[in-house]
Amino acid sequence: MADQVTFLKEQGNKALAENKFEEAVKFYTDAIIIDSNNHVLYSNRSAAYAKLQNYNLALADGEKTIEIKPDWPKGYSRKGLAQVYLEKYDDAIKTYQDGLRVDPDNVTLKDGLKEAMAGKAPPPFRNPFSGPEVMNKLRSDPRTKALLDDPEYLKLLQALQTNPQMMGTNLQDPRMLTTLSVLLDFQEPMDTEPGPPPAQSEMKKEEVPKSEPEPELPEDKKLAKQEKEKGNEAYKKKDFENAIKHYNQAIEHDPTDITFHNNLAAVFFEQKEFEKCIEQCEKGIEIGRENRADFKLIAKAFLRIANAYKKLKNWKQAKVYYEKSMSEHRTPEIKTLLSEIEKIIKEEDKKAYIDEAKSEEEKELGNELFKKGDYAGAVKHYSEAIKRNPIDAKIYSNRAACYTKLAAFDLGLKDCDECVRLDPKFIKGWIRKGHILQGMQQSTKAIAAFQKALALDANNAEALQGYRACSLENAGVGSDPEKVRQRAMADPEVQAILRDPAMRIILDQMQNDPRALQDHLKNPDVAAKIQKLLESGLIAIH
């Protein structure tokens, strides 16, 4: 039992690593059926469910992991991650905190807690008192220039740069209001005496309030905006030379705005100047960080770097920057791009891993363990041999023999199918497929496999013996309805047909009105299912 659980878990891990998430869930579930108290199985299945974006089931498995082994930190990270994806940020924060009580130094839990808190938090607050342009603004405005000679004022300003929360306790200070007016680019209202209320005749019944005018931009920012708009127009017309010129002029007027760098990088990307695009995005990110730019703009710059590396076929660097973009601002688009690049990396790694000589070595090691009866160990070596040479049909056949010994017939059948797909003339693959189908009590399909083998070699003794055994089995159960039923119900394809509500209605109609069959047979899908039931012996047409 323990060997079978280990084997299923390893198959699940392999499927998960290959992004075959549904297969991974199936392997872990089969293992859980055998060992329902194995916390690792629930944890791994939680990871597979999360990859399938089935976060409710991922959460349930995370909770079960903790229930079985509350002192294991990974259970808390599984549960917390599912709660973050479900946007249950308060619950996730509590889960990560509970996990950190178990393992206070766990980096995964600490990072998870930060992500949960970031998800719950409002958009980042931009401290108006910090940044390299603050002192220049205060010196250039007559309202605050004189204040800079006051040591107390400078002390207050320094405190606000590091702790903007102090602003709330100092709002009564007139110097504070003056400073905010300058930094936020609006004029302080004039002090006026309150006049008499307007006469009743002057008041309108439904007076529409006038919208406040936008604050006047400083001259340098105004010029920068104008150049950006000219650049955008040129970009739309694919006049990239002028677009570059205008974006560079915008940067000269206002070197603190990440947007201009992002736009310039977009031009380089269109020109296929990917190295220049990356360089410009990196400059933009640095400037954006310094000036508290919106995290979405920084995410956009990281995304463009990733796309540029993708064009350069530097897959691993592209993956790094997609992940950086995700850390700034998680969107479905970036998740899809990241998933695509991960698949490319896996395929490239597979290609780089191919080595026929090492494959042959691993196959021989597998053969030795098979002879000793260590079938699970042999599977590992055959699997490694397949990775090293995935087009060698014989290795799939050998691994199928191991799966048969381990009673993992579905995996053995899958390997046989791949074996005969790669080499349709490999007779042993057809014979092995026939034996597996025979073991699964699917004698009709087994006969077809043995027939394929006999078509290649009409005198093959093993194929003849298998064909005769299955034919006799079919003939032997023909007079025993219960055996017919048992054999048919062991066939997953028959089970699926009988579970289909539409087919159940059709079968009822056929029983009550045999003439209804003619209409149903006009549908190819229904006709194929009825043919399957006829072959299984469950139904007969008289």
Side-chain angles (χ1 to χ4, degrees):
M1 284 290 189
D3 286 346
Q4 198 168 357
V5 169
T6 302
F7 169 71
L8 288 167
K9 184 184 78 172
E10 288 174 353
Q11 291 303 308
N13 294 348
K14 179 187 170 192
L16 190 62
E18 293 174 354
N19 288 338
K20 298 175 181 175
F21 307 127
E22 290 179 356
E23 281 188 27
V25 166
K26 183 181 181 300
F27 285 123
Y28 294 137
T29 302
D30 289 346
I32 286 168
I33 291 168
I34 299 168
D35 184 0
S36 60
N37 286 315
N38 189 322
H39 63 284
V40 176
L41 297 175
Y42 287 101
S43 172
N44 291 6
R45 191 170 70 173
S46 176
Y49 277 137
K51 290 288 187 181
L52 286 166
Q53 299 183 20
N54 194 334
Y55 303 122
N56 286 311
L57 289 178
L59 175 58
D61 274 356
E63 288 171 340
K64 186 67 177 177
T65 306
I66 295 169
E67 180 188 324
I68 295 170
K69 194 164 178 62
D71 61 343
W72 196 52
K74 188 170 278 189
Y76 296 94
S77 66
R78 297 289 190 221
K79 181 181 175 182
L81 181 66
Q83 288 168 329
V84 167
Y85 278 121
L86 290 166
E87 297 184 2
K88 298 181 176 180
Y89 297 116
D90 287 329
D91 292 344
I93 289 167
K94 183 180 183 305
T95 298
Y96 285 125
Q97 287 172 338
D98 290 344
L100 286 167
R101 290 189 191 97
V102 172
D103 184 0
D105 298 320
N106 190 290
V107 175
T108 304
L109 291 171
K110 286 180 179 179
D111 290 345
L113 181 59
K114 287 178 187 174
E115 187 174 353
M117 294 178 79
K120 182 187 174 186
F125 169 74
R126 189 187 186 285
N127 183 359
F129 299 96
S130 66
E133 78 284 1
V134 166
M135 293 306 291
N136 289 336
K137 273 192 172 186
L138 296 178
R139 287 193 190 97
S140 62
D141 194 292
R143 290 174 288 172
T144 49
K145 185 177 180 182
L147 292 174
L148 292 172
D149 296 329
D150 183 352
E152 287 297 319
Y153 173 76
L154 289 173
K155 187 177 177 182
L156 173 63
L157 189 61
Q158 188 178 9
L160 288 165
Q161 286 176 328
T162 55
N163 185 13
Q165 283 77 14
M166 288 182 64
M167 185 168 56
T169 58
N170 289 277
L171 278 177
Q172 300 303 317
D173 188 330
R175 295 174 302 176
M176 170 69 69
L177 294 173
T178 302
T179 305
L180 277 172
S181 299
V182 172
L183 295 178
L184 298 178
D185 296 311
F186 64 82
Q187 298 295 320
E188 291 178 275
M190 295 286 290
D191 290 329
T192 58
E193 291 294 323
Q200 190 69 26
S201 59
E202 295 174 354
M203 294 177 67
K204 296 180 182 177
K205 253 186 176 178
E206 294 182 1
E207 189 168 353
V208 179
K210 293 181 181 177
S211 59
E212 289 291 324
E214 289 187 12
E216 184 74 17
L217 287 173
E219 189 62 24
D220 54 354
K221 289 186 181 293
K222 192 186 293 182
L223 291 170
K225 186 179 178 184
Q226 289 170 1
E227 291 296 338
K228 183 190 82 169
E229 287 168 358
K230 289 177 185 176
N232 291 351
E233 286 300 316
Y235 179 84
K236 288 174 189 174
K237 295 173 184 174
K238 296 193 179 295
D239 180 2
F240 297 133
E241 188 177 337
N242 274 317
I244 291 170
K245 182 183 81 173
H246 289 301
Y247 289 141
N248 276 323
Q249 286 173 350
I251 291 168
E252 285 177 19
H253 289 303
D254 182 7
T256 66
D257 194 329
I258 183 178
T259 307
F260 310 143
H261 294 276
N262 278 352
N263 290 8
L264 187 54
V267 178
F268 291 138
F269 189 91
E270 289 295 324
Q271 292 182 315
K272 296 183 171 51
E273 296 275 1
F274 301 119
E275 297 289 355
K276 284 186 180 180
C277 171
I278 291 165
E279 182 185 353
Q280 199 58 231
C281 286
E282 286 173 342
K283 282 182 186 175
I285 290 164
E286 185 181 347
I287 285 162
R289 296 277 194 219
E290 288 174 0
N291 293 279
R292 306 287 202 279
D294 188 329
F295 59 90
K296 290 181 183 176
L297 292 174
I298 291 174
K300 190 174 183 179
F302 278 129
L303 175 59
R304 188 160 282 133
I305 292 175
N307 287 336
Y309 275 124
K310 186 178 178 182
K311 289 288 186 181
L312 291 167
K313 296 189 177 180
N314 188 336
W315 315 118
K316 293 189 176 177
Q317 277 296 90
K319 179 176 182 287
V320 167
Y321 282 93
Y322 282 132
E323 287 171 340
K324 286 186 177 185
S325 183
M326 282 270 284
S327 70
E328 295 290 335
H329 182 51
R330 188 187 296 269
T331 68
E333 177 204 358
I334 301 172
K335 283 174 74 175
T336 302
L337 290 167
L338 180 58
S339 179
E340 287 172 0
I341 211 77
E342 284 173 342
K343 286 178 185 174
I344 292 171
I345 289 169
K346 284 189 189 304
E347 287 303 315
E348 291 296 315
D349 287 347
K350 279 182 187 176
K351 289 176 188 175
Y353 202 64
I354 290 173
D355 185 324
E356 289 187 24
K358 287 185 179 177
S359 175
E360 193 62 30
E361 288 175 16
E362 291 293 335
K363 185 175 79 170
E364 290 304 319
L365 290 170
N367 292 346
E368 289 173 20
L369 290 178
F370 184 88
K371 289 173 188 173
K372 293 176 183 176
D374 183 0
Y375 305 119
V379 164
K380 289 181 182 178
H381 287 291
Y382 289 139
S383 297
E384 180 64 18
I386 287 169
K387 286 179 185 176
R388 292 289 188 180
N389 187 9
I391 59 170
D392 187 338
K394 292 177 183 177
I395 309 173
Y396 291 95
S397 175
N398 290 7
R399 191 169 68 173
C402 290
Y403 285 141
T404 306
K405 294 290 186 182
L406 290 163
F409 297 118
D410 54 342
L411 294 175
L413 184 59
K414 188 177 176 183
D415 269 359
C416 285
D417 286 336
E418 184 63 15
C419 169
V420 296
R421 186 192 71 80
L422 289 168
D423 186 357
K425 294 183 179 180
F426 183 52
I427 192 168
K428 190 175 278 188
W430 290 111
I431 293 170
R432 189 149 278 149
K433 180 176 180 178
H435 285 314
I436 290 173
L437 288 165
Q438 189 179 7
M440 295 171 78
Q441 297 183 333
Q442 297 182 35
S443 54
T444 303
K445 289 182 178 179
I447 287 170
F450 288 127
Q451 284 175 331
K452 289 276 190 182
L454 290 168
L456 296 167
D457 180 3
N459 298 313
N460 186 284
E462 193 176 356
L464 280 167
Q465 185 181 353
Y467 177 80
R468 286 169 184 158
C470 290
S471 298
L472 286 170
E473 184 185 339
N474 270 358
V477 301
S479 58
D480 186 340
E482 181 56 28
K483 284 186 178 179
V484 170
R485 192 191 70 79
Q486 288 177 0
R487 186 192 67 192
M489 293 305 295
D491 187 335
E493 194 176 340
V494 171
Q495 293 172 15
I497 292 169
L498 294 177
R499 282 198 299 268
D500 184 345
M503 282 303 299
R504 293 180 71 87
I505 293 169
I506 290 168
L507 293 171
D508 287 342
Q509 286 177 352
M510 286 169 53
Q511 193 171 8
N512 297 324
D513 180 10
R515 290 173 300 177
L517 176 63
Q518 297 302 319
D519 291 331
H520 292 307
L521 288 176
K522 292 175 184 175
N523 183 326
D525 185 46
V526 172
K529 290 178 179 178
I530 289 172
Q531 181 62 34
K532 174 66 184 176
L533 295 178
L534 285 167
E535 289 172 1
S536 71
L538 274 183
I539 66 171
I541 298 173
H542 304 290

